[in-house]
Amino acid sequence: MCTAICYRSNDSYFGRNLDLDRGYGEKVVITPRNYVIDMRCEKPIRSHYAMIGMATVVEDFPLYYEATNEKGLSMAALNFPENAVYGNFREGKDNVTPFEFIPWIVAQCACIEEVRSLLFKINLVHIHFSEQLPLSPLHWMISDKKCSIVVEPLREGLKIYEDPFEVLTNNPPFAFHQANVSHYMGLSAFPACSQFRESIPVENYSLGLGAWGLPGDFSSASRFIRALFVKENSVSERDEKSAVTQFFHILNSVAMPKGCVHTAGGFAYTRYGSCCNVDRGIYYYTTYGYMEPISIHMHDVDLNRSCLYTSEVKGI
C-alpha cells in the first residue's frame, strides 16, 4: 500500500510513501554510471545514467523501491496484488524481471519518449530474485520533467497510461482511478456554494465545507483522490525548503499511522516518505521514527566510479 506523486514548482519533485508491515533493510542507494547492472536474461548494462533512490541491496544488486537518474527521469514501484501478470521468456523481446525494471529504465532513459521506445520491446518475465525473495506484484509510475505515465502488467498485456493526475496508489488498476476521479470533480478548497434556491437558508458553518465528501480512509482509491486534491490545491513559496516541506505535507495527508491498518503480518504503516528534486539530484526522506527531512545530494559523490554508494536510513 503506497502512494507516489509528482509535484511541480520552480523545480520538479517526485516521491512516494512506502506503506508496509515490515522492513527489508532499506537504504538510500546511489548507483554510479559505471556500476555494472547484471541482468538475468539480458546483457549487463555497463555504462549508464547515475541514479539515486531507496533500495534494498542483496548480493550487491539494488532492489529499488523508487529511483531518479541524473537526467531527471524518475520511477516508483507500487504494490499491485491480484492484477500483476508476468510472462515467460520470449524470443525477440527484452526479457526483464520486475525487480530489474526500475534500473533497466532509469539507467537508459532521459525522458518519457525514450521510456516508450523501451517499453515497446519489453517482456516482464516471471523470474524470482531468489527463493527467499519471490517476485512482488507491481505496477509503476514513471515521470520526467514534463509528464508522467503508469505502466501495468495485466493479463491482456502491458498497459501504458498517460497520467495527467501525476498520482498513483495501488489496486484497482489505473483505469478505475481515472474514472473514479469524476466522482469528486465538485471538491473545492473554497467555501461550499449552495445549489438550492436562494430562499432555502444554508450557510458554511465551518471552514473546509467545499471539500465535503473528500474520502478519509486508507484505501488505495481514497488515497488517490486525497493525494490528488491536496497536491492540486497546494501552495508553496518558490524556494527549495518551501517546496520540499509542501511535498511532505502532501505525503502526510495520505500517510498511515501504525495500528490503523491490520495485515496478516501485523500493521501496515508509512515506513518512509521520499521526495527527490529531479532537477538538482537532491533526495530527501523522512521515516516513521524521524520526521525531519534528511537530504542526500547525488552530485556530491563521484558518479563515475563502479561501486554502489549506500547510506543507512535514520529512524526506520
Side-chain angles (χ1 to χ4, degrees):
M1 300 178 72
C2 307
T3 306
I5 64 171
C6 189
Y7 178 63
R8 315 285 182 178
S9 183
N10 271 7
D11 292 331
S12 292
Y13 299 85
F14 180 92
R16 57 97 57 78
N17 280 343
L18 182 80
D19 308 320
L20 288 175
D21 57 14
R22 69 197 72 184
Y24 293 91
E26 299 93 330
K27 293 180 172 64
V28 178
V29 179
I30 299 175
T31 300
R33 301 179 185 119
N34 294 309
Y35 170 83
V36 177
I37 302 174
D38 287 316
M39 307 293 293
R40 294 295 175 94
C41 301
E42 300 298 320
K43 294 179 180 179
I45 307 173
R46 299 188 177 277
S47 181
H48 51 78
Y49 296 127
M51 66 190 80
I52 186 171
M54 194 72 75
T56 297
V57 179
V58 183
E59 299 174 6
D60 206 36
F61 189 92
L63 299 167
Y64 276 109
Y65 299 90
E66 83 282 339
T68 295
N69 71 18
E70 58 188 299
K71 297 297 183 179
L73 185 85
S74 304
M75 185 170 178
L78 292 87
N79 201 26
F80 196 46
E82 309 302 326
N83 284 306
V85 177
Y86 307 131
N88 297 319
F89 183 94
R90 293 175 60 189
E91 292 289 347
K93 288 286 190 178
D94 293 335
N95 291 281
V96 177
T97 70
F99 64 80
E100 299 167 329
F101 193 23
I102 289 180
W104 175 260
I105 293 293
V106 178
Q108 301 182 80
C109 300
C111 62
I112 292 296
E113 183 178 356
E114 294 179 4
V115 172
R116 291 183 186 278
S117 67
L118 283 190
L119 293 177
F120 180 74
K121 300 180 291 183
I122 202 165
N123 175 45
L124 290 176
V125 61
H126 194 280
I127 298 176
H128 298 297
F129 185 88
S130 65
E131 289 186 9
Q132 293 73 32
L133 288 173
L135 288 177
S136 297
L138 300 171
H139 62 172
W140 295 266
M141 178 175 168
I142 309 174
S143 302
D144 63 13
K145 296 179 182 181
K146 296 180 179 179
C147 63
S148 298
I149 61 173
V150 169
V151 179
E152 294 187 336
L154 301 174
R155 189 169 302 281
E156 57 269 30
L158 196 69
K159 297 293 183 181
I160 304 167
Y161 302 92
E162 300 292 336
D163 184 1
F165 318 112
E166 299 200 293
V167 172
L168 184 63
T169 54
N170 312 104
N171 287 339
F174 187 71
F176 168 89
H177 294 295
Q178 283 181 303
N180 191 45
V181 169
S182 297
H183 297 147
Y184 298 92
M185 67 173 70
L187 295 177
S188 172
F190 293 94
C193 181
S194 174
Q195 300 301 313
F196 294 115
R197 64 180 185 272
E198 292 183 3
S199 60
I200 295 180
V202 291
E203 62 180 14
N204 281 275
Y205 58 82
S206 170
L207 293 176
L209 283 182
W212 183 261
L214 180 68
D217 61 84
F218 296 111
S219 68
S220 58
S222 293
R223 284 184 287 109
F224 191 104
I225 298 301
R226 198 157 67 252
L228 175 61
F229 176 81
V230 176
K231 179 176 72 75
E232 290 301 306
N233 287 285
S234 286
V235 177
S236 66
E237 301 299 324
R238 311 293 283 188
D239 62 87
E240 181 74 355
K241 182 178 180 181
S242 297
V244 171
T245 298
Q246 191 70 1
F247 193 100
F248 281 109
H249 278 301
I250 299 168
L251 289 183
N252 288 339
S253 74
V254 291
M256 295 182 181
K258 189 183 292 186
C260 292
V261 180
H262 285 254
T263 70
F267 302 103
Y269 65 99
T270 301
R271 291 184 54 78
Y272 76 82
S274 68
C275 166
C276 188
N277 181 322
V278 306
D279 294 279
R280 305 185 194 182
I282 308 173
Y283 183 86
Y284 303 86
Y285 73 87
T286 63
T287 64
Y288 196 82
Y290 197 86
M291 298 295 289
E292 182 72 20
I294 297 170
S295 65
I296 297 176
H297 297 238
M298 177 166 59
H299 296 285
D300 282 353
V301 303
D302 179 8
L303 294 180
N304 288 316
R305 82 171 193 172
S306 58
C307 299
L308 298 174
Y309 292 95
T310 63
S311 178
E312 297 293 330
V313 175
K314 187 172 183 176
I316 200 167

